[in-house]
Amino acid sequence: MSDSRFWRMIWSAVAWTSLGLGLIGVFLPILPTTPFLILAAFGFARSNERIHKWLIEHPQFGPPIADWEKYGAISTRAKITAVATMAFVFMISVLIGLSWKLLLIQGLCLGGAALFILTRKAPPYE
């Protein structure tokens, strides 16, 4: 197997897995959608141009991917949704009584993700 075929297979696996997780995230609020779709677009750009084109032209999934690819930006609505979801998940963790060690780990991870999201600029059309 050639080296480029191997990498196309790897990128295809990453892309399909990310697309699946992103689609699950549409219905499951504790799983983020946009980061997985951006990763899927990245993987499909390296493995399957037809699927990549479908994804970036999709009326629902395409705009956040385009914002990221063109501007490195996340819309204000997506930022609010993501951070609110993270806060909700953390609140549930507190309410069900997770240990302080797990809460600390979860808080650090969610806090780091929220910080990254909130420090991205908004698209210029907002």
Side-chain angles (χ1 to χ4, degrees), residues 22-98:
L23 293 175
I24 292 168
V26 169
F27 304 102
L28 191 64
I30 61 169
L31 193 63
T33 299
T34 303
F36 286 118
L37 294 179
I38 290 169
L39 182 57
F42 185 82
F44 284 130
R46 284 146 185 77
S47 64
N48 188 324
E49 186 55 39
R50 184 177 60 85
I51 303 292
H52 178 256
K53 184 177 188 230
W54 170 82
L55 190 58
I56 62 174
E57 291 178 355
H58 191 278
Q60 296 300 117
F61 304 140
I65 295 168
D67 287 344
W68 184 258
E69 288 181 347
K70 289 180 189 174
Y71 312 113
I74 300 173
S75 73
T76 303
R77 180 177 174 213
K79 289 178 189 181
I80 291 168
T81 302
V83 173
T85 301
M86 289 180 211
F88 179 73
V89 168
F90 189 76
M91 183 180 67
I92 288 172
S93 298
V94 170
L95 292 174
I96 64 172
L98 289 182

